[in-house]
Amino acid sequence: MRPTLRAKAISVCNDKIEKKGEGVGLSFYAFFANRNDDTELLMEAAEWWIKTHGLDHFEKAIKIRAMIESGQ
């Protein structure tokens, strides 16, 4: 996952956790605006989420943040 996507994902996780608590879940779609203007980046996130890590559609934001911060 490229550094810009990692930074964006961590920021989104932090924001969701701050607003809704540590139990909040999210999907990789949360890292993007409602309109997809970067298909390549969306596919990169989807591959990391689904193919590389086999994650469910919704996962806890704290889990995703920890995975990304650890370099997974």
Side-chain angles (χ1 to χ4, degrees):
M1 185 186 297
R2 66 183 82 174
T4 54
L5 181 53
R6 284 184 182 278
K8 173 70 174 174
I10 290 170
S11 175
V12 168
C13 287
N14 287 338
D15 184 55
K16 296 277 186 185
I17 293 165
E18 182 180 313
K19 289 180 180 174
K20 297 190 177 196
E22 290 192 1
V24 69
L26 52 76
S27 78
F28 65 88
Y29 290 113
F31 308 145
F32 300 92
N34 287 338
R35 144 182 128 249
N36 180 23
D37 56 0
D38 191 340
T39 305
E40 185 177 315
L41 194 60
L42 177 65
M43 293 307 295
E44 184 177 331
E47 183 171 330
W48 180 90
W49 192 283
I50 300 165
K51 190 173 181 182
T52 302
H53 296 290
L55 299 171
D56 289 336
H57 183 72
F58 282 95
E59 294 285 349
K60 299 290 184 195
I62 57 171
K63 175 183 177 178
I64 299 302
R65 180 180 64 188
M67 289 176 70
I68 294 169
E69 288 176 339
S70 73
Q72 292 187 20

